[in-house]
Amino acid sequence: MIIRRSCPWQLCLLFAASCSSYGSARAVWQPRRPLSRPISTQEDKCENTGQDRWDAADDHGWLCPWDNLNWQTGCCTKGQQFACDRCNSDSQCCKTLESCVSCCLAPQHNASTIYSKDYRSPGRSETGRWGSPFEYCRGKCRTSSKSTVHENAYLDSHHHCFSQSGKPVMPLPPAPQLPTSVKVEVGEKGESCTATCNKTNSICALQHMIAMNHCNVLRTHFACEAGCDNSGGDVQPSYVSADAPKEQQPTDCLIAESESQFNCDASHANTQRLCPCAQTSQIVTSIA
């Protein structure tokens, strides 16, 4: 005899519900979507200069290499905040846009109070006012005709300025005159002054190199596109070629910090020297 046992009604209802949901799931099946969450909040995000190949400055005044820039937030993860050591404190001009923006945002320069009072173009209300301290500093630090000579060369290597004048310190007074017997010769790249003067059957007049050691003199022979700076090397006065590595300051004119650096025989692969050349009879070999 077969004994049939009935299913408890609670189990039957549970079984029926599971079958119904399985069928419904098959009918409206959709691919699974990965879980996601926002990577950062609005408070995390920064504006940055995003222009130079090597460095960036964010709106908190941090200056950092691209490797230390968080691409998701736009903020520097580490670096130097308010990098004014790359700027001229007197003229408030800096060598790069990035260092200029970083320094401009330093508390002592009051960008947080100035930006809402200054027009984008001085004296022209129709241009509107700056929207933030960062926007103000970035706009002020861009180069203009005020920082150039004849609009094709910079007055100084520190040509990104956030000062009210918007231009570097004016050039130095004229250099001392050379004797008519001494000729100024421009050397080839990588050539010493001794070799340069020898090509004109003359000798490097070391005692007259002080007259060459002047930015105004260099600017009459080279473009000095990146400006003119003091240097501690022994090939000054000279011009750094455009194809030199960035750390060697390409297209910069260099002058010696002291007369003890002058050396007729020195040369550098990436510089052109400016040389005082005189006939042998004009050379002073000793001072009585």
Side-chain angles (χ1 to χ4, degrees), residues 104-137:
C104 174
L105 289 168
Q108 67 268 27
H109 296 134
N110 301 316
S112 59
T113 57
I114 296 174
Y115 84 92
S116 60
K117 301 175 182 178
D118 274 14
Y119 294 118
R120 294 172 185 270
S121 181
R124 301 185 62 180
S125 59
E126 67 272 17
T127 61
R129 302 189 190 275
W130 301 102
S132 68
F134 176 78
E135 185 183 350
Y136 163 79
C137 288

Side-chain angles (χ1 to χ4, degrees), residues 1-7:
M1 182 176 73
I2 299 175
I3 299 175
R4 297 179 181 271
R5 295 184 179 181
S6 61
C7 175

Side-chain angles (χ1 to χ4, degrees), residues 33-190:
R33 296 178 181 177
L35 295 175
S36 63
R37 60 181 178 84
I39 293 174
S40 60
T41 63
Q42 189 63 35
E43 290 76 13
D44 296 331
K45 295 186 178 297
C46 299
E47 289 186 88
N48 64 67
T49 51
Q51 178 173 320
D52 188 64
R53 293 173 55 191
W54 292 274
D55 298 319
D58 68 21
D59 56 11
H60 296 294
W62 285 94
L63 176 70
C64 64
W66 277 109
D67 291 346
N68 294 330
L69 186 71
N70 186 318
W71 291 93
Q72 296 170 340
T73 65
C75 303
C76 289
T77 57
K78 59 181 179 180
Q80 182 181 1
Q81 191 175 30
F82 311 137
C84 293
D85 59 336
R86 306 187 187 189
C87 305
N88 184 313
S89 59
D90 295 326
S91 64
Q92 294 186 331
C93 297
C94 312
K95 285 194 171 184
T96 66
L97 171 71
E98 292 69 31
S99 57
C100 181
V101 171
S102 175
C103 185
C104 174
L105 289 168
Q108 67 268 27
H109 296 134
N110 301 316
S112 59
T113 57
I114 296 174
Y115 84 92
S116 60
K117 301 175 182 178
D118 274 14
Y119 294 118
R120 294 172 185 270
S121 181
R124 301 185 62 180
S125 59
E126 67 272 17
T127 61
R129 302 189 190 275
W130 301 102
S132 68
F134 176 78
E135 185 183 350
Y136 163 79
C137 288
R138 183 174 57 183
K140 293 289 286 184
C141 287
R142 296 192 187 281
T143 55
S144 69
S145 59
K146 292 181 180 180
S147 60
T148 63
V149 180
H150 307 305
E151 299 186 359
N152 59 8
Y154 291 116
L155 280 170
D156 191 81
S157 59
H158 296 77
H159 49 261
H160 295 275
C161 306
F162 58 90
S163 61
Q164 290 302 312
S165 66
K167 63 181 180 180
V169 174
M170 294 302 291
L172 298 171
Q177 293 295 315
L178 280 171
T180 56
S181 58
V182 178
K183 305 298 182 185
V184 179
E185 300 288 348
V186 177
E188 298 291 335
K189 187 169 77 167

Side-chain angles (χ1 to χ4, degrees), residues 11-25:
L11 292 178
C12 291
L13 286 176
L14 181 62
F15 179 75
S18 64
C19 290
S20 175
S21 63
Y22 174 74
S24 300

Side-chain angles (χ1 to χ4, degrees), residues 201-203 278-285:
N201 297 316
S202 56
I203 296 176
Q279 296 300 314
T280 307
S281 59
Q282 301 295 330
I283 301 299
V284 176
T285 57

